Amino acid sequence: MASKESSMSFSRKSYRLTSDAEKSRVTGIVHEELLNDYLHRIFSSPEHAPTAATSRKPLNFQNLPEHLDQLLHVEDEDEESQGQVEGRLGPSTVVLDHTGGFEGLLLVDDDLLGVIGHSNFGTIRSTTCVYKGKWVYEVLISSQGLMQIGWCTINCRFNQEEGVGDTHNSYAYDGNRVRKWNVTTTNYGKAWAAGDIVSCLIDLDDGTLSFCLNGVSLGTAFENLSRGLGMAYFPAISLSFKESVAFNFGSRPLRYPVAGYRPLQDPPHADLVRAQKLLGCFRAVLSVELDPVEGRLVEKDSSEWQLQGQPTVLLTLAHIFHRFAPLLDYEVQDCLKQLMMSLLRLYRFSPIVPDLGLQIHYLRLTIAILRHEKSRKFLLSNVLFDVLRSVVFFYIKSPLRVEEAGLQELIPTTWWPHRSGREGKDSKDVKDETAEERVRRRAYERGCQRLKKRIEVVEELQVQILKLLLNNKDDNGGEASRYIFLTKFRKFLQENASGRGNMSMLCPPEYMVCFLHRLISALRYYWDEYKASNPHAAFSEEAYIPPQVFYNGKVDYFDLQRLGGLLSHLRKTLKDDLASKANILIDPLELQAATMDDLDEDEEPAPAAAQRPMQALAMGGVLPLPRPSWLSSPTLGRANRFLSTAAVSLMTPRRPLSTSEKVKVRTLSAEQRTREDIEGSHWNEGLLLGRPPEEPEQPLTENSLLEVLDGAVMMYNLSVHQQLGKMVGVSDDVNEYAMALRDTEDKLRRCPKRRNDILAELTKSQKVFSEKLDHLSRRLAWVHATVYSQEKMLDIYWLLRVCLRTVEHGDRTGSLFAFMPEFYLSVAINSYSALKNYFGPVHSMEELPGYEETLTRLAAILAKHFADTRIVGTDIRDSLMQALASYVCYPHSLRAVERIPEEQRVAMVRSLLAPYEQRPWAQTNWILVRLWRGCGFGYRYTRLPHLLKTKPEDANLPSLQKPCPSTLLQQHMAELLREGPDVAPSFLNSVLNQLNWAFSEFIGMIQEIQQAAERLERNFVDSRQLKVCATCFDLSVSLLRVLEMTITLVPDIFLDWARPTSEMLLRRLAQLLNQVLNRVTAERNLFDRVVTLRLPGLESVDHYPILVAVTGILVRLLAHGPASGRERATSVLLADPCFQLSSICYLLGQPEPPAPGTALPAPDRKRFSLQSYTDYISAEELAQVEQMLAHLTSASAQAAAASLPTSEEDLCPICYAHPISAVFQPCGHKSCKACINQHLMNNKDCFFCKATIVSVEDWEKAASASTTTSSAA
């Protein structure tokens, strides 16, 4: 009404001025006297009669706050005296006794009012007891399982089998079994359910005890309670595993108060008095109206009151609610908590509608709540990470059914990629599509884009939520939201990093994936915003974690492994480096305490154990923890204790300081830190304390954002990578069904029309496969939009680059690199793998910005650190080795290895050529083999040729990568093998040793498999044994290929006998080659029989892989190079007692060597022959084999004719194959040179007498010397 009159007064059609009375009515302005009367009427004290207007102090809005202070003043009783109420003993604030009043393993909420059973039958009591009067408390039943709730005395002793009600002077009600307990048990009460309220009443005046369920009395349960001196009763509960309740001792109003009974905890008397006075003031506002025109107060019925926008009334109400709001904190907080929980449940369980409207609505409501600063901080501190699965807000659940999300309307046309199973071919190219397929694909892609746009709306709202939580400008009157978030976020990471054995406590990985992407978006927004206002800072594209974060103790990494081992060990061994490079001194006493704490935890004294939550959890204790949601899990107090007690001394200036200038700073846990501890100040660099000289002085960004980034990297390592790999299963299902559909359609085309029965079955199968593919293709569109979109790929790529820069900066710090957590290298390796394997074929890694540079940087890291002595963890070293092995398999990544600086390439190859002992030699050997594939004899296949011959149509055969050899790295290898006298012998001896072991193990295993197969009773060979057998075979083949590469690149190592070790290496090689040939080529031998069995798991075991590897070595020795080298190789090979010419003939399918001068006959199709594999072995290579066979046939005939009979006394007593040629000094025993040289590689003791061998001399020289001595005598 007032607004209407206002508009009439200032209308263009009316030019008259308004009167003063009208102006007062319109604006609500009142005179000082009227305002004074109004305020005195509203804020009069009910204890005093109204005084005359002349004696009252004038009131206005300037002095009203002072008047309110006087009005609301209440004489507060001393807190200790409040607790001393007759009949009650203990603190005035009643909570659960988590320090000593418990038995078993329990989890307790932060407010010490909620409890979860975590053992068989845990018991806990309150901190306050009663001995006189009538008392009541309430229990909210959160789960309806086995629990006994009631009262006990302090002398009751409980265990894992006996709880409240099972001992004398303890009484309990059990609504699960509907019984009451006091040593014995009888029926009582009614069954309870989750959500019920149990009231526990005790009357110590009459000595009775009773219970109520949801306000309804269940009757007296017990009478004649023991009373008197020393008898006081505590509220107590015993509950089994996973059961949970919440207590209300009176800290909030009882849900069902009982007349005559008093809650254990007194209500806040002073606050209640103030609230009553303010409510009286509010009622006065409703019953009094101002009349500015008449200048008087008008009494009015409060039910007719309406707010008309009068400034005086609004200001008055503002003063009332300014004082009233703090008194409503609990109610408002509880309301906020319940509202947030309701929003979360609605968001989580609402159906997926086509436009995602329900999810959008709930997210917008959540954003509206979080925009209020105080509400946001309360929810962050007490709800979002403590009570709720807050990450549920960042998850977009996938529909259970395609129809549920309206995907059929969004994507009416389905399509799926076609893949070919043929060797060497990739996915069907777009240019090979038919016109119909192209139309379908484009329609499908348009549908996917429509779906993606709808999902992006939800994702943007989720990012807005995180932007609010990461706000650091709202520090008015308290801590900014970002720093509260950091504390809770770190605890969230700790629980997920440490609770892997308890799946119910972990954040589901599908939630973690979505949370990570939203967090990265919000993080990069604030990072670039800071850069915009600080030109010296870095863009988010240049982000990394400075290395000092890993060793200055400012960020808690819990028990996660460091590259150099345990943190306590690193601080002890690298304390000098910390002092010299980073100006950090470790307190020796604190370091010793921390080290002993790790080593001697079992001998820890009881007082110390009581202070450690993790120790209490392990031995049977109670932890103050959040409510029993999936996020609630034991806090690793062990790690926190270590970090909070391992004090460090930090010298912040960059110049050398004297002892007197050192500043000691104590490392704080996440819960204890303040904004200054993170961001720093003028004399404190916060998270960046201890900057090494290699790091720039200008900060990258705000320190708090660095910690968020560190947490994002940790999240990826915890479960995101595994989930990305898991979701690929949808794409795999599409491919399998597409292949099945194509096979069915092929059968339909080939099926005779007269076979109606078969046609009907095939048509039915075709329909089933088509419907399944329609469903899966739409589901795949959802997965691609939510998990594998281009934006998600860029997020993972950004994390990869962050990790690469972090590792590069950490590497520059020298020995301090060992402090870096292992997961940074793991994330670098895994994120690259995800980008390469999980996001295709829709998105290609090659399209990413800076792709070539990133590949090269990762290659440099893998090449340098796979043999880095600063990295001690076995798992991370294996991961680096496997990543490098995978890297050299693909042309793009192999070229990246070739692009790294030459010095790093040579160092990498040098590490690969180190002796195989005392390190993971198998992975090293695979790397060398992959550098050679494509260059070796018959070594160009991508599918095992023998399998393609037996099953040419089987598209599921194991596939290998296309060969991509590296001539550059082979050249480095050749140069290093020629470099020094010890490099080649040590490397080749280790290769030969491992070949001998691997092939011997393989022969032993196939012998056991053959024996099991020949038994009459039905036997099953262990699949693990078959796998190990196949692995030994593959290792033998790969070791042979490395030998082939070595002989090809540097034949002089074996054939130049001017080298001291060449002859020995050649003899060892010949011996092993002959053993392999004899075992594999013997007629109807063990190898043949096992191959014929075609056992699952032994598909790779066949003649071809191992025989072509051996043939490649023999061809290089006998058909290449100068004649002198061929003659030496031939003589050594023929001199070996295991040599059989028939084994060489076997390679070409011949049972016997051909007569001299005759052509080779055609191979027998039933026999193995290299000539049967012309698709994989060139004509030139076959010609070299024929040349080798002819050469060996001729040479063996000549050797047989020229050999002279040798006395048995002149043969080597070790091998009985060669004449004696060496004598040992000083013992004088003899053998051939080959045997003694091989023996001396590992042992310096004589074969026969065990005396230490000082030297080895030629036997002829020793004989002539003895002859000369005897002649002189």
Side-chain angles (χ1 to χ4, degrees):
M1 191 69 180
S3 61
K4 184 176 180 180
E5 293 180 3
S6 176
S7 63
M8 291 175 59
S9 301
F10 296 98
S11 170
R12 292 185 178 183
K13 294 182 181 181
S14 176
Y15 298 97
R16 68 181 180 85
L17 297 176
T18 57
S19 64
D20 290 341
E22 289 175 334
K23 187 173 182 181
S24 298
R25 185 182 301 277
V26 169
T27 60
I29 298 174
V30 297
H31 299 294
E32 291 183 5
E33 292 182 5
L34 181 59
L35 177 62
N36 177 60
D37 293 340
Y38 178 72
L39 293 179
H40 273 289
R41 177 67 177 274
I42 300 299
F43 299 107
S44 62
S45 175
E47 291 82 2
H48 303 89
T51 58
T54 55
S55 63
R56 293 183 308 190
K57 179 181 179 181
L59 272 182
N60 52 46
F61 288 120
Q62 283 71 36
N63 60 14
L64 181 59
E66 181 183 353
H67 177 76
L68 278 173
D69 290 338
Q70 297 176 1
L71 177 66
L72 300 178
H73 178 70
V74 179
E75 293 293 337
D76 291 331
E77 299 179 10
D78 184 70
E79 184 176 350
E80 293 183 1
S81 65
Q82 282 188 3
Q84 302 304 322
V85 177
E86 185 180 6
R88 184 181 67 191
L89 293 174
S92 58
T93 301
V94 186
V95 293
L96 296 174
D97 187 357
H98 69 288
T99 59
F102 62 87
E103 173 63 35
L105 181 58
L106 301 159
L107 303 180
V108 178
D109 285 0
D110 286 337
D111 58 5
L112 301 181
L113 294 175
V115 61
I116 314 168
H118 216 67
S119 61
N120 185 39
F121 204 50
T123 301
I124 189 169
R125 65 171 184 259
S126 70
T127 55
T128 299
C129 61
V130 293
Y131 61 91
K132 182 180 179 181
K134 298 180 179 181
W135 304 91
V136 62
Y137 70 92
E138 290 181 344
V139 181
L140 170 64
I141 305 298
S142 301
S143 61
Q144 58 187 15
L146 179 60
M147 292 178 281
Q148 294 174 196
I149 304 172
W151 304 81
C152 73
T153 65
I154 198 169
N155 295 321
C156 293
R157 295 293 177 261
F158 305 112
N159 53 44
Q160 294 290 310
E161 301 297 331
E162 295 182 342
V164 180
D166 296 325
T167 65
H168 291 286
N169 297 323
S170 69
Y171 307 87
Y173 162 49
D174 176 2
N176 176 260
R177 293 174 287 189
V178 195
R179 304 183 76 83
K180 62 180 181 180
W181 297 80
N182 175 235
V183 182
T184 59
T185 178
T186 56
N187 294 330
Y188 175 79
K190 296 188 297 186
W192 59 37
D196 286 348
I197 300 290
V198 175
S199 302
C200 303
L201 301 90
I202 189 169
D203 184 349
L204 291 171
D205 296 333
D206 293 339
T208 61
L209 194 151
S210 58
F211 298 91
C212 298
L213 185 63
N214 296 326
V216 178
S217 176
L218 301 178
T220 301
F222 302 100
E223 297 177 339
N224 301 320
L225 302 184
S226 298
R227 291 168 289 170
L229 187 63
M231 296 302 297
Y233 291 88
F234 291 84
I237 183 173
S238 297
L239 64 174
S240 57
F241 184 69
K242 288 294 183 182
E243 304 303 333
S244 59
V245 297
F247 284 82
N248 180 13
F249 297 110
S251 59
R252 55 187 182 274
L254 297 180
R255 183 75 63 86
Y256 302 105
V258 181
Y261 286 81
R262 181 175 181 175
L264 266 73
Q265 180 171 326
D266 292 327
H269 172 73
D271 287 343
L272 289 174
V273 172
R274 295 186 186 100
Q276 290 295 331
K277 290 182 178 181
L278 288 170
L279 285 173
C281 297
F282 182 66
R283 282 192 293 269
V285 171
L286 300 182
S287 60
V288 176
E289 187 178 275
L290 281 166
D291 188 349
V293 178
E294 300 294 335
R296 63 188 179 88
L297 303 179
V298 180
E299 296 288 341
K300 193 172 184 180
D301 188 354
S302 59
S303 61
E304 300 177 1
W305 185 85
Q306 291 183 350
L307 182 63
Q308 298 180 352
Q310 295 174 329
T312 303
V313 177
L314 292 175
L315 287 171
T316 304
L317 290 173
H319 279 277
I320 293 174
F321 282 104
H322 178 70
R323 301 302 181 102
F324 196 61
L327 303 177
L328 292 175
D329 272 352
Y330 177 80
E331 286 75 10
V332 172
Q333 290 172 2
D334 193 57
C335 178
L336 273 176
K337 182 183 297 186
Q338 297 301 324
L339 176 60
M340 192 59 62
M341 293 177 71
S342 299
L343 283 174
L344 180 137
R345 283 192 294 267
L346 289 167
Y347 177 81
R348 182 181 180 188
F349 295 112
S350 294
I352 303 292
V353 296
D355 61 351
L356 299 172
L358 294 175
Q359 284 71 25
I360 291 172
H361 178 64
Y362 300 135
L363 287 174
R364 284 174 175 166
L365 282 175
T366 304
I367 290 172
I369 294 171
L370 293 177
R371 281 189 176 134
H372 184 255
E373 179 181 327
K374 293 184 69 174
S375 299
R376 178 171 66 248
K377 291 181 179 180
F378 166 75
L379 292 171
L380 258 176
S381 300
N382 302 286
V383 179
L384 285 179
F385 281 94
D386 288 345
V387 176
L388 300 174
R389 294 188 184 185
S390 58
V391 292
V392 170
F393 282 122
F394 312 115
Y395 175 57
I396 304 177
K397 70 175 182 178
S398 100
L400 297 176
R401 298 179 302 276
V402 170
E403 297 80 5
E404 180 184 352
L407 292 183
Q408 289 179 334
E409 292 76 17
L410 279 174
I411 311 173
T413 304
T414 58
W415 173 86
W416 47 88
H418 296 278
R419 289 190 180 181
S420 174
R422 289 295 177 187
E423 175 183 354
K425 294 185 180 180
D426 299 323
S427 302
K428 188 174 182 179
D429 197 45
V430 174
K431 65 184 179 182
D432 297 331
E433 290 178 329
T434 63
E436 180 183 356
E437 289 176 339
R438 188 178 302 110
V439 170
R440 286 184 60 194
R441 177 175 57 82
R442 291 176 178 173
Y444 176 75
E445 289 174 350
R446 287 193 296 271
C448 293
Q449 285 299 318
R450 289 192 293 270
L451 174 63
K452 182 182 175 184
K453 288 180 180 178
R454 296 188 179 185
I455 291 175
E456 284 175 348
V457 175
V458 177
E459 292 176 344
E460 179 56 34
L461 292 173
Q462 293 169 334
V463 173
Q464 287 183 34
I465 291 177
L466 272 172
K467 287 180 181 178
L468 290 170
L469 300 183
L470 289 174
N471 184 3
N472 69 332
K473 302 294 192 298
D474 57 349
D475 54 354
N476 300 322
E479 195 173 14
S481 298
R482 181 183 298 175
Y483 305 102
I484 305 174
F485 174 85
L486 279 178
T487 301
K488 301 297 181 179
F489 182 51
R490 209 71 196 174
K491 184 177 180 181
F492 167 82
L493 294 173
Q494 180 179 6
E495 290 167 340
N496 281 273
S498 310
R500 296 194 173 187
N502 191 350
M503 298 304 295
S504 62
M505 297 295 184
L506 301 183
C507 175
E510 60 270 22
Y511 292 17
M512 194 81 86
V513 172
C514 296
F515 185 25
L516 174 67
H517 288 297
R518 311 305 176 263
L519 185 63
I520 289 176
S521 299
L523 169 63
R524 296 191 67 177
Y525 167 81
Y526 278 113
W527 192 299
D528 291 329
E529 183 184 64
Y530 181 81
K531 166 64 179 175
S533 58
N534 295 271
H536 297 293
F539 286 106
S540 62
E541 278 297 332
E542 304 163 357
Y544 69 93
I545 303 297
Q548 59 265 40
V549 173
F550 305 132
Y551 55 73
N552 64 16
K554 292 295 182 182
V555 176
D556 186 359
Y557 288 103
F558 333 124
D559 57 347
L560 296 179
Q561 190 76 1
R562 308 298 181 103
L563 292 177
L566 293 174
L567 180 63
S568 56
H569 168 75
L570 292 174
R571 282 178 165 167
K572 183 177 181 180
T573 56
L574 298 178
K575 58 184 179 182
D576 294 337
D577 292 333
L578 284 171
S580 61
K581 296 180 180 179
N583 294 333
I584 293 180
L585 297 179
I586 305 296
D587 187 338
L589 296 178
E590 294 286 351
L591 180 58
Q592 182 180 5
T595 305
M596 295 305 295
D597 182 51
D598 280 333
L599 296 178
D600 300 328
E601 61 177 308
D602 292 335
E603 301 176 7
E604 188 174 8
Q611 297 173 7
R612 294 177 57 176
M614 196 59 197
Q615 186 83 352
L617 176 64
M619 302 304 293
V622 56
L623 303 181
L625 288 172
R627 286 292 297 157
S629 66
W630 62 281
L631 194 57
S632 302
S633 66
T635 303
L636 282 190
R638 175 176 180 74
N640 289 335
R641 180 178 185 271
F642 171 75
L643 290 175
S644 64
T645 56
V648 295
S649 302
L650 300 167
M651 300 180 291
T652 51
R654 295 301 155 202
R655 56 186 178 81
L657 297 178
S658 64
T659 306
S660 60
E661 294 178 288
K662 297 175 185 176
V663 180
K664 279 195 173 184
V665 179
R666 188 183 180 198
T667 308
L668 302 175
S669 64
E671 290 80 3
Q672 295 173 307
R673 294 182 306 174
T674 63
R675 177 171 185 162
E676 183 177 339
D677 294 319
I678 298 173
E679 301 291 1
S681 60
H682 295 295
W683 303 103
N684 176 15
E685 293 182 85
L687 290 186
L688 301 183
L689 276 169
R691 179 177 61 84
E694 296 84 4
E695 282 297 296
E697 294 186 9
Q698 293 295 335
L700 293 172
T701 186
E702 296 170 283
N703 292 354
S704 53
L705 295 181
L706 290 175
E707 185 169 341
V708 176
L709 175 57
D710 176 79
V713 177
M714 191 186 299
M715 282 174 61
Y716 185 89
N717 183 67
L718 290 177
S719 59
V720 172
H721 180 72
Q722 292 85 341
Q723 181 65 16
L724 289 177
K726 180 180 177 181
M727 296 305 292
V728 177
V730 180
S731 180
D732 294 339
D733 290 343
V734 170
N735 294 326
E736 290 179 8
Y737 276 98
M739 187 180 300
L741 179 61
R742 287 197 302 273
D743 291 343
T744 305
E745 292 171 346
D746 290 341
K747 292 176 182 177
L748 274 171
R749 284 191 293 268
R750 296 196 306 267
C751 181
K753 294 183 179 180
R754 65 178 183 275
R755 296 303 303 270
N756 294 328
D757 54 340
I758 298 178
L759 285 172
E761 288 297 324
L762 290 174
T763 304
K764 183 179 178 181
S765 299
Q766 182 187 30
K767 181 181 178 182
V768 171
F769 291 145
S770 297
E771 291 176 352
K772 188 66 176 178
L773 276 169
D774 288 342
H775 171 82
L776 285 174
S777 62
R778 292 187 176 102
R779 179 171 172 78
L780 186 62
W782 184 279
V783 172
H784 279 159
T786 56
V787 180
Y788 298 122
S789 67
Q790 180 73 19
E791 293 75 17
K792 312 299 186 302
M793 188 178 190
L794 288 171
D795 287 344
I796 304 301
Y797 184 59
W798 182 72
L799 271 189
L800 167 62
R801 291 166 68 90
V802 165
C803 291
L804 295 180
R805 281 188 288 269
T806 301
V807 174
E808 290 168 351
H809 282 262
D811 180 43
R812 297 171 193 164
T813 61
S815 59
L816 300 185
F817 178 62
F819 282 94
M820 180 179 291
E822 285 184 354
F823 65 79
Y824 273 89
L825 277 175
S826 298
V827 172
I829 295 169
N830 292 333
S831 57
Y832 167 74
S833 174
L835 292 168
K836 180 167 65 73
N837 299 319
Y838 300 159
F839 286 84
V842 179
H843 306 292
S844 172
M845 189 179 178
E846 299 177 15
E847 301 170 357
L848 295 171
Y851 163 73
E852 297 288 343
E853 178 205 358
T854 302
L855 278 187
T856 305
R857 292 169 69 178
L858 179 56
I861 287 173
L862 295 177
K864 180 171 185 179
H865 298 299
F866 84 95
D868 193 337
T869 56
R870 295 171 295 181
I871 302 175
V872 301
T874 304
D875 291 341
I876 189 63
R877 290 175 69 91
D878 286 348
S879 297
L880 287 166
M881 187 77 73
Q882 292 168 10
L884 182 60
S886 174
Y887 221 69
V888 298
C889 280
Y890 301 91
H892 285 293
S893 49
L894 180 60
R895 299 292 89 83
V897 175
E898 294 177 344
R899 286 195 299 269
I900 66 178
E902 181 178 357
E903 180 182 355
Q904 294 185 18
R905 292 198 308 268
V906 172
M908 178 190 75
V909 177
R910 188 187 302 276
S911 299
L912 292 173
L913 295 180
Y916 280 5
E917 287 76 11
Q918 306 300 324
R919 69 192 187 101
W921 59 271
Q923 294 94 325
T924 302
N925 198 74
W926 289 124
I927 296 174
L928 294 174
V929 167
R930 287 165 181 174
L931 300 178
W932 178 244
R933 283 190 69 237
C935 297
F937 183 90
Y939 202 32
R940 292 171 291 276
Y941 51 84
T942 55
R943 297 275 180 99
L944 293 173
H946 63 278
L947 292 181
L948 287 174
K949 286 176 69 67
T950 56
K951 302 177 182 178
E953 298 299 327
D954 190 350
N956 295 319
L957 295 176
S959 176
L960 305 173
Q961 291 300 322
K962 289 183 178 179
C964 52
S966 173
T967 55
L968 178 61
L969 296 179
Q970 290 176 18
Q971 179 184 348
H972 291 324
M973 179 178 174
E975 293 170 352
L976 288 172
L977 289 174
R978 293 191 183 99
E979 188 177 76
D982 298 328
V983 176
S986 60
F987 169 69
L988 289 172
N989 276 320
S990 64
V991 173
L992 293 170
N993 288 339
Q994 301 301 342
L995 175 60
N996 184 38
W997 172 85
F999 190 72
S1000 300
E1001 287 291 314
F1002 167 70
I1003 294 299
M1005 288 184 182
I1006 63 172
Q1007 187 173 4
E1008 294 176 6
I1009 294 171
Q1010 173 65 19
Q1011 290 172 356
E1014 289 180 347
R1015 295 192 187 104
L1016 296 178
E1017 63 272 15
R1018 186 173 181 83
N1019 290 281
F1020 295 95
V1021 182
D1022 187 2
S1023 59
R1024 291 174 297 179
Q1025 185 180 8
L1026 294 175
K1027 184 176 180 180
V1028 173
C1029 179
T1031 302
C1032 288
F1033 179 80
D1034 294 339
L1035 285 173
S1036 301
V1037 173
S1038 66
L1039 289 162
L1040 287 168
R1041 288 297 185 179
V1042 170
L1043 289 171
E1044 179 191 16
M1045 175 172 61
T1046 306
I1047 293 170
T1048 304
L1049 297 176
V1050 194
D1052 296 347
I1053 294 177
F1054 292 93
L1055 301 178
D1056 183 7
W1057 285 9
R1059 294 171 174 262
T1061 58
S1062 293
E1063 182 180 359
M1064 179 197 68
L1065 290 173
L1066 185 58
R1067 291 186 184 279
R1068 289 198 66 194
L1069 177 63
Q1071 181 185 14
L1072 285 171
L1073 294 179
N1074 283 325
Q1075 289 179 6
V1076 172
L1077 282 172
N1078 293 342
R1079 291 283 191 174
V1080 176
T1081 62
E1083 292 290 340
R1084 293 181 296 278
N1085 66 353
L1086 180 64
F1087 186 87
D1088 263 339
R1089 291 197 294 271
V1090 171
V1091 169
T1092 307
L1093 291 174
R1094 297 296 176 189
L1095 296 174
L1098 293 183
E1099 291 86 358
S1100 62
V1101 178
D1102 195 80
H1103 297 81
Y1104 182 87
I1106 195 165
L1107 288 182
V1108 290
V1110 173
T1111 304
I1113 296 174
L1114 293 175
V1115 166
R1116 288 293 174 180
L1117 289 173
L1118 303 174
H1120 291 270
S1124 59
R1126 294 200 301 272
E1127 290 176 2
R1128 293 188 184 113
T1130 303
S1131 63
V1132 170
L1133 189 66
L1134 295 179
D1136 187 83
C1138 297
F1139 174 76
Q1140 295 180 17
L1141 187 60
S1142 59
S1143 297
I1144 308 297
C1145 298
Y1146 185 93
L1147 300 175
L1148 294 175
Q1150 306 301 326
E1152 296 179 358
T1158 61
L1160 291 172
D1164 186 352
R1165 292 184 179 273
K1166 296 181 180 179
R1167 300 173 60 89
F1168 173 85
S1169 174
L1170 296 179
Q1171 296 172 342
S1172 303
Y1173 294 89
T1174 53
D1175 291 341
Y1176 309 98
I1177 302 176
S1178 65
E1180 180 183 358
E1181 289 174 333
L1182 284 174
Q1184 292 172 354
V1185 176
E1186 294 172 358
Q1187 177 187 347
M1188 176 189 70
L1189 177 57
H1191 171 71
L1192 286 176
T1193 302
S1194 173
S1196 61
Q1198 294 175 8
S1203 62
L1204 297 174
T1206 304
S1207 170
E1208 185 174 344
E1209 295 179 356
D1210 295 332
L1211 289 176
C1212 171
I1214 306 301
C1215 64
Y1216 285 95
H1218 305 288
I1220 294 174
S1221 56
V1223 61
F1224 318 151
Q1225 297 297 341
C1227 64
H1229 290 104
K1230 297 180 282 293
S1231 74
C1232 65
K1233 288 183 178 180
C1235 288
I1236 187 58
N1237 287 338
Q1238 185 172 350
H1239 176 70
L1240 289 176
M1241 287 192 305
N1242 303 311
N1243 199 332
K1244 299 299 182 183
D1245 296 338
C1246 174
F1247 286 110
F1248 309 101
C1249 64
K1250 304 303 179 184
T1252 302
I1253 300 175
V1254 177
S1255 62
V1256 177
E1257 300 178 0
D1258 292 342
W1259 184 65
E1260 294 81 6
K1261 290 182 180 179
S1264 61
S1266 63
T1267 303
T1268 304
T1269 304
S1270 60
S1271 300

